[in-house]
Amino acid sequence: MAHFDYKREISLLLSRLDHDGGFSEIHGGDFRPDSTAWAILCLDAYNSHSDMAIMARERLRSTQKSNGSIPLSADHPEAFWPTLSGALALSGDSASKGAHTKAIEFLISTIGQQSPNLEDDATGHDTMLQGWPWIDQTHAWVEPTAMAVRALTEVGLTNHDRTRDGIKLLLNRQLADGGWNYGNTTVYGQRLNPMPGPTGMALWALADHIERSQVSGSLKYLQEQLGRLKTPLSLGWALKGLFSWDIKVENGYELAVACLDRQQKYGSYGTSQVAILLLALAMLDVQEAANV
C-alpha cells in the first residue's frame, strides 16, 4: 500500500504557526506550549520543515520556568501539563539539552497528591502510589503518568524509582477486564468502562517495561474498538498503543484518512489532535518498513 500523503495535514499545522515560532491549537488562536510540543514532534517524525521546528523549540524553551516546568501560561504556573509533551519535544536536540534536563528534573521531583487508602474508599485504586497529575497539588491520573513514564524512559531512566512507581500506578489503574479510563477503576463499587485514548497512552508508556500477558486484555480491547473510533485523539492513541506492542493494523491508513477527511464536514481538528494521529501513522510507516 502507498504511504499516507501527510503534506496536507502538515500544512494545516503550519497555518497555526505564529511569527515567534509558537503554535496555537486552532487557527488564529493564542500560543499554546502543549500544541507547540506536539507540532514539533510531528515535524520531526516526518523530517519536515526543520527550520520551523527549530523556531518552535526556541519558543518552547522561552516559556520554561526556573524550576524546569513549562506552564500552560504565565498566569497559571500550576497548570504544568505542557512539561510532559515539552520534555518529549526537547529530547535529542543539542540546543535544548539544558532545558530538557531541567524538564526531566522537574518531572522526577513532581508527585501527584496522595491520601491514605481507606476500606470504604470510593476511588477503587491505590491512592498512595506515586504518579503524575495534570495540575500541581492534585491527584495523579493515567494520561500524565503515562507521558511522564515515556519521557523518563526515552532518556534511559528505565529503572529510576519514579519510572517504576509510574508503571506500578498504571498497572494498578488497569481495569479488571482490560483497558484504562482517566484514572479510576471503580467508583462507590461500580466498575467503570475503559476509554480508547487513555488505554492507548498507557500501552504506549508500558511497552518494553512489562510482559505482554499483563496487558493482554487491554490490547484485545483496543483491537476490538478500532473500527468504531472516529476522532483523531481516540484513533491516534489507540494506534500508537497497538503499534508500541508490534501489533499490525492492516487498515490503519484507511482509518486515519477517513478520520482526517471528516474535517471537511466538521471543521479542522486541533493542532495536538492532528499531530498525535500523524505520529501514529509515522509509527505505521516504521512498522511496515521493518516487515518489507
Side-chain angles (χ1 to χ4, degrees):
M1 174 184 291
H3 287 177
F4 170 68
D5 183 2
Y6 62 89
K7 293 181 181 178
R8 181 186 69 177
E9 307 308 327
I10 293 291
S11 295
L12 172 65
L13 299 186
L14 293 176
S15 73
R16 282 96 181 264
L17 180 68
D18 66 26
H19 66 279
D20 290 327
F23 286 80
S24 60
E25 184 65 9
I26 60 174
H27 184 72
D30 295 329
F31 162 72
R32 288 269 302 248
D34 47 351
S35 304
T36 300
W38 286 116
I40 291 168
L41 289 165
C42 188
L43 294 176
D44 286 352
Y46 286 89
N47 296 312
S48 178
H49 296 83
S50 59
D51 54 334
M52 304 298 184
I54 290 171
M55 289 176 56
R57 281 193 176 88
E58 290 175 355
R59 182 69 183 277
L60 194 60
R61 294 196 302 267
S62 74
T63 68
Q64 189 174 41
K65 295 175 64 66
S66 59
N67 67 356
S69 69
I70 301 173
L72 183 64
S73 71
D75 294 333
H76 295 285
E78 74 283 358
F80 65 74
W81 72 73
T83 315
L84 297 158
S85 53
L88 294 170
L90 296 174
S91 179
D93 175 59
S94 58
S96 303
K97 184 176 181 179
H100 178 247
T101 298
K102 289 173 62 178
I104 292 296
E105 291 173 349
F106 174 80
L107 293 181
I108 288 173
S109 66
T110 300
I111 298 173
Q113 279 193 333
Q114 301 163 283
S115 59
N117 290 299
L118 304 174
E119 288 187 10
D120 60 348
D121 187 60
T123 63
H125 62 258
D126 188 341
T127 54
M128 289 300 292
L129 291 175
Q130 295 184 2
W132 284 265
W134 291 117
I135 298 174
D136 193 28
Q137 300 300 309
T138 61
H139 196 51
W141 298 105
V142 166
E143 293 164 299
T145 297
M147 292 179 65
V149 166
R150 185 74 180 207
L152 297 182
T153 300
E154 290 193 0
V155 294
L157 297 177
T158 302
N159 294 313
H160 193 281
D161 288 344
R162 292 306 319 280
T163 308
R164 308 314 300 175
D165 287 340
I167 292 168
K168 290 177 184 177
L169 183 145
L170 291 175
L171 290 174
N172 179 255
R173 305 287 183 94
Q174 185 178 207
L175 298 169
D177 294 331
W180 284 261
N181 57 40
Y182 300 103
N184 292 329
T185 53
T186 62
V187 173
Y188 293 111
Q190 297 298 308
R191 187 170 60 182
L192 301 186
N193 294 323
M195 302 289 288
T199 299
M201 291 183 76
L203 289 170
W204 168 70
L206 291 170
D208 300 322
H209 283 293
I210 62 173
E211 297 296 326
R212 183 180 292 256
S213 59
Q214 293 177 268
V215 292
S216 57
S218 297
L219 292 169
K220 182 175 182 289
Y221 160 75
L222 268 192
Q223 288 175 288
E224 292 173 344
Q225 292 296 310
L226 266 184
R228 306 174 187 174
L229 304 182
K230 308 299 182 184
T231 63
L233 279 183
S234 292
L235 180 59
W237 280 118
L239 290 172
K240 283 173 71 67
L242 293 174
F243 295 155
S244 296
W245 289 84
D246 296 322
I247 292 177
K248 295 184 67 175
V249 180
E250 299 292 348
N251 61 338
Y253 288 117
E254 288 86 347
L255 291 171
V257 169
C259 179
L260 291 168
D261 284 348
R262 290 189 189 96
Q263 294 177 98
Q264 299 174 29
K265 180 177 181 180
Y266 299 111
S268 297
Y269 300 138
T271 298
S272 58
Q273 298 169 344
V274 173
I276 288 166
L277 185 51
L278 292 182
L279 286 166
L281 289 176
M283 293 177 71
L284 180 54
D285 282 346
V286 172
Q287 186 186 69
E288 288 201 344
N291 292 325
V292 171

